[in-house]
Amino acid sequence: MAHSYTYYPPHPPIIFPTTARKPVNTIHPTRIKKRFGSGSSVTRALKDWKEYEVAVKDKDLGRALQFLKSIENVNNNDDVDKQQLGFLVFERDWEVLDTCLNADDMQLVANAYYFLKDKSLLPNFAKCANIVLDGPRDVTPKILMSSTGLEVSKLSPKKWGMSGTSSAVLFAFLGGVSYLLSQGIDLRPKLAAVLGLALADSIFLGGSCQALISSYWPPYRRRILVHEAGHLLTAYLMGCPVRGVILDPIVAMQMGIQGQAGTQFWDEKLEKELAAGRLSSTSFDRYCMVLFAGIAAEALVYGEAEGGENDENLFRSICVLLQPPLSVMQMANQARWAVLQSYNLLKWHKDAHKAAVKALERGSSLSSIIRSIEEALLPRG
């Protein structure tokens, strides 16, 4: 049975509201038709794509999408080599996704995804939007253990000093300081200054400087990529348009994203429900699955999760704003249920997750990442 909750703002920062966009340079359909009309050649047609290239370069989603839609409305013309031009259009359409990060209007971002889906370029977008995942709603630690082979503690983000990695770093650091002191080298004055800077970074910059330094350590950076790829793939499969993936802690801070990185996605149905002051259990479940997908991805790849503290904090902030608010036990069960569903979803689409991680490692654009996911999900004969 579907349930609904009353929700009171503040609005979750990871979902971006639709806003009015400033006017964009428009491309009139008749102008496009004239270009590709009688007497046009493939060479001429290819030149006209420069206008689209400029829109993509300028990160102008509105203009880029309008151009593609205008091309779609052009009547068939015998003077244009459709086979050659069609290949070009197919290849270039993907690039519209690379303009999404600068878009203020999330409805426009959604329109870009649905435009590509209608052209059969994104067949797996929203593939799992309406599926009902099997399994009990009450997910006890025992059920979680039997389903994943992992204890609950392995599916929870670690505070600094609790994970094996940070413990090893702390041990090595203290050992190094002790050795230097035994050699007559007193680092304590400088150490106090370093700790003071770290504290200031934590208070005023949200730990962005420490995160930036840590992100250069290859094993740690790969964890971040695995985590964010989990968010991205789950949002994509659940039909939530992805605006972009931010991997630079400084950029993340400037964009108001808590933590070292972030995947920005949008759920249109959820936003409409929040605006109406009601939240259905279906929308809440979908949002929780995307939210806990990063933790699930780390657990799937590494056998335990370290990141995701900000995801949990966001989840709690939403739960306490529901009316009636979820109890501590209900929150814990919802979290276990969501991480289990995300874990299974990523497990079923393991190749696509690996493809997304590799694309992020290469520093690929959003369009290349989404394309890698689609290629990994192609049926294999």
Side-chain angles (χ1 to χ4, degrees):
M1 179 181 295
H3 300 283
S4 63
Y5 308 91
T6 303
Y7 179 85
Y8 293 97
H11 199 285
I14 201 167
I15 305 176
F16 293 82
T18 52
T19 57
R21 277 184 61 86
K22 58 185 180 182
V24 297
N25 295 327
T26 57
I27 305 170
H28 201 279
T30 56
R31 184 181 172 193
I32 297 293
K33 186 173 181 180
K34 183 178 179 181
R35 289 177 177 177
F36 290 90
S38 178
S40 295
S41 64
V42 173
T43 302
R44 174 66 186 224
L46 297 181
K47 281 185 177 180
D48 288 327
W49 276 84
K50 288 292 183 182
E51 187 165 348
Y52 176 69
E53 290 179 1
V54 172
V56 172
K57 185 178 180 180
D58 293 343
K59 305 297 182 185
D60 190 333
L61 174 57
R63 189 151 50 102
L65 187 58
Q66 186 182 33
F67 183 91
L68 293 178
K69 289 182 176 180
S70 298
I71 294 297
E72 284 291 294
N73 294 329
V74 174
N75 294 327
N76 291 332
N77 189 301
D78 294 333
D79 295 330
V80 179
D81 188 329
K82 291 297 180 181
Q83 185 174 2
Q84 295 182 48
L85 187 58
F87 178 76
L88 171 73
V89 174
F90 180 86
E91 290 294 307
R92 301 305 303 273
D93 279 359
W94 291 88
E95 295 177 4
V96 73
L97 296 178
D98 297 332
T99 67
C100 289
L101 188 58
N102 283 24
D104 297 323
D105 187 348
M106 287 304 296
Q107 184 62 62
L108 200 59
V109 174
N111 290 345
Y113 276 84
Y114 287 115
F115 173 79
L116 295 180
K117 185 173 178 65
D118 290 342
K119 295 193 69 176
S120 301
L121 294 179
L122 305 181
N124 292 290
F125 175 65
K127 168 187 174 183
C128 303
N130 298 316
I131 65 170
V132 178
L133 299 173
D134 295 329
R137 288 295 312 190
D138 291 329
V139 179
T140 64
K142 185 176 180 180
I143 291 176
L144 194 62
M145 174 70 177
S146 64
S147 300
T148 64
L150 300 173
E151 298 178 357
V152 175
S153 60
K154 300 294 185 181
L155 291 158
S156 301
K158 306 294 185 295
K159 302 291 190 297
W160 193 89
M162 292 179 64
S163 69
T165 302
S166 56
S167 298
V169 171
L170 180 61
F171 179 79
F173 174 75
L174 293 176
V177 171
S178 298
Y179 174 77
L180 292 174
L181 287 174
S182 68
Q183 298 298 313
I185 303 175
D186 191 356
L187 292 177
R188 284 174 292 186
K190 295 180 180 179
L191 183 60
V194 171
L195 292 175
L197 290 173
L199 179 62
D201 171 51
S202 178
I203 295 174
F204 298 107
L205 298 178
S208 294
C209 293
Q210 298 174 61
L212 182 61
I213 295 171
S214 300
S215 66
Y216 287 106
W217 186 40
Y220 185 78
R221 177 168 179 77
R222 182 169 174 78
R223 267 193 178 269
I224 295 175
L225 300 183
V226 167
H227 185 102
E228 296 306 325
H231 286 305
L232 187 154
L233 178 59
T234 303
Y236 183 76
L237 293 174
M238 299 296 288
C240 299
V242 177
R243 187 187 188 207
V245 180
I246 312 300
L247 298 173
D248 187 326
I250 300 299
V251 175
M253 180 186 67
Q254 292 172 343
M255 297 186 71
I257 300 172
Q258 295 182 351
Q260 302 154 346
T263 299
Q264 300 180 327
F265 66 96
W266 185 58
D267 188 325
E268 181 178 5
K269 184 178 180 182
L270 180 64
E271 180 172 290
K272 289 180 178 178
E273 290 179 0
L274 293 179
R278 305 292 295 179
L279 181 60
S280 67
S281 59
T282 302
S283 296
F284 185 51
D285 286 345
R286 180 173 57 249
Y287 181 70
C288 290
M289 281 183 63
V290 179
L291 203 57
F292 282 99
I295 293 173
E298 285 192 56
L300 182 63
V301 174
Y302 295 105
E304 68 172 343
E306 290 189 4
E309 185 177 356
N310 287 310
D311 298 331
E312 279 200 342
N313 291 339
L314 181 56
F315 168 71
R316 293 191 192 98
S317 69
I318 295 173
C319 289
V320 297
L321 292 173
L322 297 175
Q323 293 296 330
L326 298 186
S327 66
V328 174
M329 290 183 63
Q330 287 174 322
M331 281 193 287
N333 182 73
Q334 178 69 19
R336 288 192 296 267
W337 179 89
V339 78
L340 176 58
Q341 306 314 310
S342 297
Y343 183 93
N344 287 333
L345 190 67
L346 293 171
K347 188 176 180 179
W348 298 335
H349 300 88
K350 208 169 186 177
D351 290 342
H353 181 251
K354 288 180 180 178
V357 173
K358 288 181 180 178
L360 288 171
E361 280 183 318
R362 295 192 299 267
S364 300
S365 63
L366 179 62
S367 65
S368 296
I369 297 170
I370 298 298
R371 190 164 185 172
S372 296
I373 290 173
E374 285 293 345
E375 290 173 353
L377 292 173
L378 286 173
R380 300 189 179 182

